Amino acid sequence: MNQSAFKAQHLDQASSLPAEVYVNKAFAEWDKQVVIKNSWQLTAHVSQLQNQGDHVVHEVAGIPVIVVNTGDGIQAFYNVCRHRGGPLAMKNGNSKTLMCKYHGWNYHLNGQLKSAPEMQHNENFNVCDHKLPEIKSDIWQGFVFIALGNDVPELSAVYDGIAEHIKPIDMSQMVFCRRDEFIIDCNWKVYVENYLEGYHLPHVHPGLNKLLDYKSYQTELKQWHSYQYSPIENAACDDNPYGEGQAHYYFAYPNTMFNILPNRVQSNQVLPINAQQCKVIFDYYYPKLPADALAKLIEQDRDFSDKVQSEDIGICEAVQKGYASGSYTPGPLCAKRESGVHHFQELLRSAYRN
Ligand code: FES
Ligand SMILES: [Fe+2]
C-alpha cells in the first residue's frame, strides 16, 4: 500500500484509514506483529491470583500465555511446554506445579523444569537445562499486563494520571466477578474505533443516550490513552442501574478499555482473530459486597450492558461489510466528536510507518 496513507494528519483535516487496513490479510498479520505484540496486553487481575499456585490462562492474538502466582510474586510465561509445545494449563486454577497436559513434563511455578517422565533414559538429559521462557509483565491498579515484544512504553506511562483521576476508586481492591466473550464479524480496529466516539450514541444507542448528557460528552487525549466522560443524568429513572456519579471511559492503546462507573468496573479487550473477525472480552469487577447485594448489581448490570453491546455489535458488523465492499474511500472525521478515533489512528499510522 502507498505509505503516504500513513503520514501524520491534523484533526481538522483528518480522514479515516483506507479500507484495506480493515480487510486485508497481510494487514491483520502486520497488526499482530507491530501493534499487538509491541503493547501491554491485559491478562489477569490480582483478585484471581491471590494464592501461591493460582494461575490464569489467556491468548493474545493466538499466542497462549499463562500468568502464575509463584509464591514470590507474579510471573508470566508462554503456555507452551519445552518438550513438544503442549499446554501447561487449559484453564484457570491452582496447582503446586505446572504439569504439561500432553506427556506430563512437570515445572516448578517459576518455570524451571522439575521432572520429566522416562527422560532419565536419555543420555545427557538434565531437567536443569529446561525452563519456560518468561514474558515481561507488570501490574497497574491490580491489573496484570504482559508485553510479548520489546518495543513497549512503560506501563505507568500508558496509564499515566488515571489512578489519581479516579480516586477514591481503587481498582486493585475490586474483585473479578465474571467474564463475557463475544466473537464479532469485524476487524478489531472497527470495534475499537466505535468505542472511541460518542458521535454514534443518538443513532445506535437511544436508550443509553437518555442516561448520558450528549452535549456534555467530552474526550481528552493523552499520549497513550484517551478518556471519554459524561455526567450520568436521570439518576432517578428506573432503568439506570448505576446511580448518580460520573461515567469514566478510558481507552489505552491499542486494544484495552476500562469503563468505570459507580460501584462497577468493566474491562474490555479487543483481540484480533483474523482480518474480519475479533474477540471481545468483557470482565466485570465489583467492590467486596455482601453476596445478595452483589448478585443484584450483576443482574442489573448484565441486562443493561447486553443491550448496548448488541447494538454496538450490529453496527460494527455492518461497517465491516462497508469496508469490504470495495466502494469505500477514506472519509473525513468529525473534529468535534471523533478526536478519540483520530488519536487512535495517529498511533496506528505511527506504528505502520516504523
Ligand atoms: S509437550 Fe509437554 S510433555 Fe510433551
Ligand atoms: Fe456504542
Side-chain angles (χ1 to χ4, degrees), residues 112-244:
Q112 179 61 54
L113 186 62
K114 182 173 180 248
S115 60
E118 301 178 68
M119 290 298 291
Q120 66 275 22
H121 305 297
N122 283 41
E123 213 179 309
N124 295 331
F125 179 82
N126 188 339
V127 288
C128 301
D129 296 338
H130 303 275
K131 191 168 197 284
L132 301 173
E134 192 173 350
I135 300 171
K136 184 161 148 174
S137 63
D138 202 353
I139 298 176
W140 173 79
Q141 282 267 309
F143 294 98
V144 182
F145 292 82
I146 60 161
L148 295 165
N150 295 319
D151 189 12
V152 283
E154 292 296 317
L155 183 64
S156 57
V158 175
Y159 289 92
D160 183 33
I162 298 179
E164 293 73 21
H165 192 246
I166 61 171
K167 271 183 185 169
I169 296 171
D170 176 357
M171 298 193 283
S172 68
Q173 297 305 309
M174 294 204 173
V175 180
F176 170 82
C177 288
R178 76 180 169 95
R179 166 168 288 195
D180 289 337
E181 293 186 352
F182 305 85
I183 305 291
I184 305 180
D185 289 333
C186 72
N187 184 278
W188 68 280
K189 300 185 292 295
V190 169
Y191 189 90
V192 168
E193 289 172 355
N194 176 67
Y195 177 92
L196 287 171
E197 42 91 358
Y199 198 25
H200 71 272
L201 273 172
H203 306 279
V204 178
H205 310 298
L208 177 63
N209 196 43
K210 266 191 252 160
L211 294 181
L212 299 176
D213 178 2
Y214 181 71
K215 283 201 210 71
S216 312
Y217 200 99
Q218 299 284 332
T219 302
E220 287 175 13
L221 309 174
K222 294 283 158 57
Q223 185 179 6
W224 295 106
H225 72 259
S226 58
Y227 172 56
Q228 300 173 79
Y229 66 97
S230 164
I232 297 174
E233 281 198 333
N234 304 321
C237 94
D238 288 345
D239 55 357
N240 174 6
Y242 304 126
E244 271 182 273

Side-chain angles (χ1 to χ4, degrees), residues 17-124:
L17 294 168
E20 291 93 315
V21 165
Y22 305 94
V23 299
N24 182 306
K25 276 191 197 144
F27 243 101
E29 185 56 28
W30 206 14
D31 272 349
K32 185 168 150 183
Q33 299 303 333
V34 306
V35 178
I36 301 296
K37 281 193 180 172
N38 286 320
S39 62
W40 289 102
Q41 295 292 316
L42 177 57
T43 305
H45 185 264
V46 289
S47 61
Q48 299 168 285
L49 296 163
Q50 290 292 296
N51 303 307
Q52 181 170 338
D54 283 350
H55 51 262
V56 170
V57 296
H58 189 52
E59 262 187 40
V60 176
I63 299 164
V65 299
I66 182 165
V67 181
V68 184
N69 179 337
T70 66
D72 282 328
I74 289 172
Q75 279 183 273
F77 305 100
Y78 291 92
N79 189 9
V80 178
C81 178
R82 304 304 277 169
H83 175 222
R84 278 177 47 224
L88 308 161
M90 308 283 270
K91 54 185 195 308
N92 300 352
N94 178 283
S95 54
K96 289 197 172 64
T97 57
L98 299 172
M99 188 186 283
C100 177
K101 299 293 174 276
Y102 202 179
H103 313 97
W105 283 30
N106 199 11
Y107 298 83
H108 292 288
L109 296 173
N110 68 3
Q112 179 61 54
L113 186 62
K114 182 173 180 248
S115 60
E118 301 178 68
M119 290 298 291
Q120 66 275 22
H121 305 297
N122 283 41
E123 213 179 309
N124 295 331

Side-chain angles (χ1 to χ4, degrees), residues 269-280:
Q269 293 167 76
V270 188
L271 296 163
I273 296 175
N274 55 43
Q276 310 225 30
Q277 263 192 333
C278 64
K279 181 199 249 187
V280 178

Side-chain angles (χ1 to χ4, degrees), residues 241-302:
Y242 304 126
E244 271 182 273
Q246 188 151 314
H248 304 280
Y249 300 102
Y250 284 102
F251 164 74
Y253 178 79
N255 62 341
T256 306
M257 295 90 159
F258 289 102
N259 302 324
I260 304 168
L261 287 108
N263 282 328
R264 170 246 203 185
V265 170
Q266 181 199 53
S267 64
N268 305 350
Q269 293 167 76
V270 188
L271 296 163
I273 296 175
N274 55 43
Q276 310 225 30
Q277 263 192 333
C278 64
K279 181 199 249 187
V280 178
I281 299 175
F282 283 12
D283 286 333
Y284 290 80
Y285 311 85
Y286 297 92
K288 291 181 187 117
L289 292 171
D292 51 342
L294 185 61
K296 191 163 173 238
L297 212 54
I298 292 175
E299 193 187 328
Q300 285 177 331
D301 207 15
R302 167 180 269 156

